[in-house]
Amino acid sequence: MIRDTGQVTTALRRTDLHASLSHPALQSMTFLNEVANRFPNAISFAPGRPYEESFDIEALHRYLRIFCDHLTHDLAYSEEQVCRTLFQYGRTKGIMHQLISRHLAVDEGIEVDPESIVVTVGCQEALFLVLRALRASEQDVLLAVSPTYVGLTGAARLLDMRVRTVRGGSVGVDIEDLITQIHDARAEGTRPRALYLVPDFSNPTGITLNTKVRRTLLQVAAEERLLLLEDNPYGLLRAKGRAQPTLKALDTQQRVLYFGSLAKTCFPGVRVGYVVADQRVQGSENADGLFADELSKIKSMVTVNTSPISQAVAAGKLLEHNGSLLRANAREIKVYRRNLIRLLNGLEARFASVPGVQWNTPSGGFFVVVTVPFSVDDTLLEHSARRYGVLWTPMNHFYNGDGGRQQLRLSCSLLTVDQIDEGLNRLAALFTEFIR
Amino acid sequence: MIRDTGQVTTALRRTDLHASLSHPALQSMTFLNEVANRFPNAISFAPGRPYEESFDIEALHRYLRIFCDHLTHDLAYSEEQVCRTLFQYGRTKGIMHQLISRHLAVDEGIEVDPESIVVTVGCQEALFLVLRALRASEQDVLLAVSPTYVGLTGAARLLDMRVRTVRGGSVGVDIEDLITQIHDARAEGTRPRALYLVPDFSNPTGITLNTKVRRTLLQVAAEERLLLLEDNPYGLLRAKGRAQPTLKALDTQQRVLYFGSLAKTCFPGVRVGYVVADQRVQGSENADGLFADELSKIKSMVTVNTSPISQAVAAGKLLEHNGSLLRANAREIKVYRRNLIRLLNGLEARFASVPGVQWNTPSGGFFVVVTVPFSVDDTLLEHSARRYGVLWTPMNHFYNGDGGRQQLRLSCSLLTVDQIDEGLNRLAALFTEFIR
């Protein structure tokens, strides 16, 4: 209790609140947003945000109308049923599962029962629900390819679930280290439940697993009875080369939980994601019910259901393009390709002959990792913003505070080519200051 | 692992998943929905769903336009900023906090800093975030007035947080039992963090606390250093008498966390709720930051933010009625009043002289509790649905499995007066079978 103008007011102590609130993963986003807000005029390679030029308010109205027409004409709903679908409480697993199932078949070669899909409030909720289900006791630990998406680490912290990192290495996941980590975890009396990874154009590294590594991973998962949590927000945003099959497309044994996001392929504000959970659960109310139905029960206590308004907008976009998000994003894919090539060429032009500066060459997605011969941290980021007007993300944010101390992540999704060029010039000036 | 057509498929065991999945609270909704789906033609006094006749697709388009106009004209946003607000990732605490703050001032006499409001995916997410923050260790327990909203119990189970019940009694909360429970909890080495209750037209009992009880409750909370979780989804839906001030309106010491829902006053599919969390947190990054900012960090790892599309729709409705949900719901309030009176009069007409049948007389909201001289459980509900075509909710669902075994909850929000009359006739036939 603290006294304030003579009146007793209630104060809570941080130490009396859940420990996750003091964890770097939960501080990370707050800090990065705060820096971005303080330097609104900086050129920002920081956020993994989609390109904004295709945002169009009238499209919202059109998507809503297309979805309502779909209910009326394709599903023969009465006007009353259409209204009820959009306004009333509804199906916890969502109302656009059929359309997502069709998209997965058309765009990803993934064939799944629509009943195994849980539509969620962004992919983040899907991750959270799955971790909640799998973390049955303190023994249950999660494996994650390092460096890792901060949202995964944060969700695990909220659930007091330990995350054990697996080296990513040059192919995206170091299989040998994976096996070592599984065995070490078991030797320590813990139970590794699943491995989290982003196989295509990973956040933060941009790396993509080749098909051979994917098949090996599925084999190891089967042998070690491990689930694979495949998160695929960027897979359709390919800049060059041929698509690798998703783990889920190769998964004949329901080893894979597939996480989809519409944040980049529809838009972030729609807050629609999903998880495919086609595993059977022994001992559920319905004999061998679907894991999706267990997740649905958890969801009913977190967000009840995903807004049917949001789902209607996302579904309208899908319907407008015959169920294909690849077609729906033809224009955006071109922009991202152009930007990624511009960024990679720009790095080459400026840093090819600078000793100690290296970067990887992703074939799609938003992210490139640059390694430099000096220390990279939040202080350097602030300096970079203040003195040079350029923002980026220190890679150590993705290492749970332990690693990536000479690396930075560049995202090129939100910029024009001119901004990319100018941003790289500013970055070059920063590098010059620190490379003597 | 189970064998299926010669191929090894993955199966999970329920016993390897989080224990909440086997808890009655999480089964409850599934069971009740399943019964409702099996008897679609029954007259249903079961769901606490809002009246559907005001649902109107064109209103969605209008609300969106009103909100965009508000951004353009009242806040002087450029077209680009309007698009970014609706489409891009955005403020974790939400974008309609100013409007909610105005509504609280206009309709509830609650004056709060908009910064202390976290807009959430329905009120359910708000409850979940607060319980996550408060449950720092196994010692932290929650108190809840019994019988309790199932969504509260379910959220607590997901977080392994023990719920200790406090008798509601005839005034809505038994202060003496509250003090006993607090002291007993402490004597057992646990730490009661907060008391959850619905002070106005409670779910499931319909009871409203009088102002004297409210003041006593605030005093006890201050003395015992307990937070009060005030959930108020029905407060504006008054049928008769004068409104009591909310606990939050009486709260001069930030003892109260106020939970708001737009499910009943806008519509459920909008999935917008919020929590007012104006407590100071000592030891936070920003010296004495708001509890709302801590909740925001948790939210960023559960759902990232609440869909700005949903918020735009809800905000449009608020703006259309100058920030007043009371005005926005003038028509609905009349319908609910009409229905509640019809239900109460109908009970009087049919059961006044039947020994052992009693009911309470709420002055608003959706719910009435009927006590009967026979056993009420899920089996009786199924029998009622099959033989008499009438649905309702067994009260024991709200007692954590222990209590309410001769009570049923009737909800009248979704019915016409003719359906109420016919439903009561069917209920009378059911009662007659069991009262010999």
Side-chain angles (χ1 to χ4, degrees), chain B residues 162-192:
Chain B
R162 252 190 73 202
V163 179
R164 196 173 181 122
T165 55
V166 172
R167 272 200 301 273
S170 58
V171 297
V173 55
D174 181 332
I175 298 288
E176 205 171 308
D177 190 46
L178 170 62
I179 294 168
T180 304
Q181 294 301 331
I182 293 169
H183 294 177
D184 286 0
R186 291 195 180 128
E188 289 169 21
T190 63
R191 179 163 66 159

Coordinates of all heavy atoms in Angstrom, one line a residue, chain B residues 162-192:
Chain B
R162 N -6.4 -22.5 -7.7 CA -7.5 -23.0 -6.9 C -8.5 -21.9 -6.7 O -8.2 -20.8 -6.4 CB -6.9 -23.4 -5.5 CG -6.9 -24.9 -5.3 CD -6.6 -25.3 -3.9 NE -7.8 -25.0 -3.0 CZ -7.7 -24.8 -1.7 NH1 -6.5 -24.8 -1.1 NH2 -8.8 -24.6 -0.9
V163 N -9.8 -22.4 -6.8 CA -10.9 -21.4 -6.5 C -11.6 -21.9 -5.2 O -11.9 -23.0 -5.0 CB -11.9 -21.4 -7.6 CG1 -13.1 -20.5 -7.3 CG2 -11.3 -21.0 -9.0
R164 N -11.7 -20.9 -4.3 CA -12.3 -21.2 -3.0 C -13.7 -20.5 -3.1 O -13.7 -19.3 -3.3 CB -11.4 -20.6 -2.0 CG -11.7 -21.1 -0.6 CD -10.7 -20.7 0.4 NE -11.1 -21.2 1.6 CZ -10.4 -22.0 2.4 NH1 -9.2 -22.3 2.0 NH2 -10.9 -22.5 3.5
T165 N -14.7 -21.1 -2.8 CA -16.0 -20.5 -2.9 C -16.5 -19.8 -1.7 O -16.2 -20.2 -0.6 CB -17.1 -21.5 -3.4 OG1 -17.2 -22.6 -2.5 CG2 -16.8 -22.0 -4.8
V166 N -17.2 -18.7 -1.9 CA -17.8 -17.9 -0.8 C -19.3 -17.9 -1.0 O -19.8 -17.7 -2.2 CB -17.3 -16.4 -0.9 CG1 -18.0 -15.5 0.1 CG2 -15.8 -16.4 -0.7
R167 N -20.1 -18.2 0.0 CA -21.5 -18.2 -0.1 C -22.1 -16.9 -0.6 O -21.7 -15.8 -0.2 CB -22.2 -18.5 1.3 CG -22.3 -20.0 1.6 CD -23.3 -20.3 2.7 NE -23.0 -19.6 3.9 CZ -22.3 -20.1 4.9 NH1 -21.7 -21.3 4.7 NH2 -22.1 -19.4 6.0
G168 N -23.0 -17.1 -1.5 CA -23.7 -15.9 -2.1 C -24.8 -15.4 -1.1 O -25.0 -14.3 -0.8
G169 N -25.6 -16.4 -0.7 CA -26.7 -16.1 0.3 C -27.7 -15.2 -0.4 O -27.8 -15.0 -1.6
S170 N -28.6 -14.6 0.5 CA -29.7 -13.9 0.0 C -29.3 -12.5 -0.5 O -30.1 -11.9 -1.3 CB -30.8 -13.8 1.1 OG -30.2 -13.1 2.2
V171 N -28.2 -11.9 -0.1 CA -27.8 -10.6 -0.5 C -26.8 -10.5 -1.6 O -26.4 -9.5 -2.1 CB -27.3 -9.7 0.7 CG1 -28.4 -9.5 1.7 CG2 -26.0 -10.3 1.3
G172 N -26.4 -11.7 -2.1 CA -25.5 -11.8 -3.2 C -24.0 -12.1 -2.8 O -23.3 -12.7 -3.6
V173 N -23.7 -11.7 -1.6 CA -22.4 -12.2 -1.1 C -22.5 -12.2 0.4 O -22.9 -11.2 1.1 CB -21.2 -11.3 -1.6 CG1 -21.4 -9.8 -1.3 CG2 -19.9 -11.8 -1.0
D174 N -22.1 -13.3 1.0 CA -22.2 -13.5 2.5 C -20.9 -13.0 3.1 O -19.9 -13.7 3.0 CB -22.4 -15.0 2.8 CG -22.6 -15.3 4.3 OD1 -22.0 -14.5 5.1 OD2 -23.2 -16.2 4.6
I175 N -21.0 -11.7 3.6 CA -19.7 -11.1 4.1 C -19.0 -11.9 5.2 O -17.8 -12.0 5.2 CB -20.0 -9.6 4.6 CG1 -20.6 -8.8 3.4 CG2 -18.8 -9.0 5.2 CD1 -19.6 -8.3 2.4
E176 N -19.8 -12.4 6.0 CA -19.3 -13.2 7.1 C -18.5 -14.4 6.6 O -17.4 -14.7 7.0 CB -20.4 -13.7 8.1 CG -20.0 -14.0 9.5 CD -21.2 -14.2 10.3 OE1 -22.1 -13.4 10.3 OE2 -21.2 -15.3 11.0
D177 N -19.1 -15.1 5.6 CA -18.4 -16.3 5.0 C -17.2 -15.8 4.3 O -16.1 -16.5 4.3 CB -19.4 -17.0 4.1 CG -18.8 -18.4 3.7 OD1 -18.2 -19.1 4.5 OD2 -18.8 -18.7 2.5
L178 N -17.2 -14.6 3.7 CA -16.1 -14.1 3.0 C -14.9 -14.0 3.9 O -13.8 -14.4 3.6 CB -16.4 -12.8 2.3 CG -15.2 -12.0 1.7 CD1 -14.5 -12.7 0.6 CD2 -15.7 -10.6 1.3
I179 N -15.1 -13.4 5.1 CA -14.1 -13.2 6.0 C -13.5 -14.5 6.5 O -12.3 -14.7 6.6 CB -14.5 -12.3 7.2 CG1 -14.8 -10.8 6.6 CG2 -13.5 -12.2 8.3 CD1 -15.6 -9.9 7.6
T180 N -14.5 -15.4 6.8 CA -14.1 -16.8 7.2 C -13.2 -17.4 6.2 O -12.1 -18.0 6.5 CB -15.3 -17.7 7.4 OG1 -16.2 -17.0 8.4 CG2 -14.9 -19.0 8.0
Q181 N -13.6 -17.3 4.9 CA -12.8 -18.0 3.9 C -11.4 -17.4 3.7 O -10.4 -18.1 3.5 CB -13.6 -17.9 2.5 CG -14.9 -18.7 2.5 CD -14.7 -20.2 2.7 OE1 -13.6 -20.7 2.4 NE2 -15.7 -20.8 3.3
I182 N -11.3 -16.1 3.8 CA -10.0 -15.4 3.7 C -9.1 -15.9 4.8 O -8.0 -16.3 4.6 CB -10.2 -13.8 3.9 CG1 -11.0 -13.3 2.6 CG2 -8.8 -13.2 4.0 CD1 -11.4 -11.8 2.8
H183 N -9.7 -15.9 6.1 CA -8.8 -16.3 7.2 C -8.5 -17.8 7.1 O -7.3 -18.2 7.4 CB -9.5 -16.0 8.5 CG -9.7 -14.5 8.7 ND1 -10.3 -13.9 9.8 CD2 -9.3 -13.4 7.9 CE1 -10.3 -12.6 9.6 NE2 -9.6 -12.3 8.5
D184 N -9.4 -18.6 6.7 CA -9.1 -20.1 6.6 C -8.1 -20.3 5.5 O -7.2 -21.1 5.7 CB -10.4 -20.8 6.2 CG -11.3 -21.0 7.4 OD1 -11.0 -20.5 8.5 OD2 -12.4 -21.6 7.3
A185 N -8.2 -19.6 4.4 CA -7.3 -19.7 3.3 C -5.9 -19.4 3.8 O -4.9 -20.1 3.6 CB -7.6 -18.8 2.1
R186 N -5.8 -18.3 4.6 CA -4.4 -17.9 5.1 C -3.9 -18.9 6.1 O -2.7 -19.2 6.1 CB -4.5 -16.5 5.7 CG -4.8 -15.4 4.7 CD -4.5 -14.0 5.2 NE -4.7 -13.1 4.1 CZ -5.5 -12.0 4.2 NH1 -6.1 -11.7 5.3 NH2 -5.7 -11.2 3.1
A187 N -4.8 -19.4 6.9 CA -4.4 -20.4 7.9 C -3.9 -21.6 7.2 O -3.0 -22.3 7.8 CB -5.6 -20.7 8.8
E188 N -4.4 -21.9 6.0 CA -3.9 -23.1 5.3 C -2.6 -22.8 4.5 O -2.2 -23.6 3.7 CB -5.0 -23.6 4.3 CG -6.2 -24.2 5.0 CD -7.4 -24.4 4.1 OE1 -7.1 -24.5 2.9 OE2 -8.5 -24.6 4.6
G189 N -2.1 -21.6 4.7 CA -0.8 -21.3 4.0 C -1.0 -20.8 2.6 O 0.0 -20.6 1.9
T190 N -2.3 -20.5 2.2 CA -2.5 -19.9 0.9 C -2.7 -18.4 0.9 O -2.9 -17.9 2.0 CB -3.7 -20.6 0.2 OG1 -4.9 -20.4 0.9 CG2 -3.4 -22.1 0.1
R191 N -2.7 -17.8 -0.2 CA -2.8 -16.4 -0.3 C -4.0 -16.0 -1.2 O -3.9 -16.1 -2.4 CB -1.5 -15.8 -0.9 CG -1.5 -14.3 -1.0 CD -0.1 -13.8 -1.2 NE 0.5 -14.2 -2.5 CZ 1.6 -13.6 -3.1 NH1 2.1 -12.5 -2.5 NH2 2.1 -14.0 -4.2
P192 N -5.1 -15.6 -0.5 CA -6.3 -15.2 -1.4 C -6.0 -13.9 -2.0 O -5.7 -12.9 -1.3 CB -7.4 -15.1 -0.3 CG -6.8 -15.1 1.0 CD -5.4 -15.5 0.9

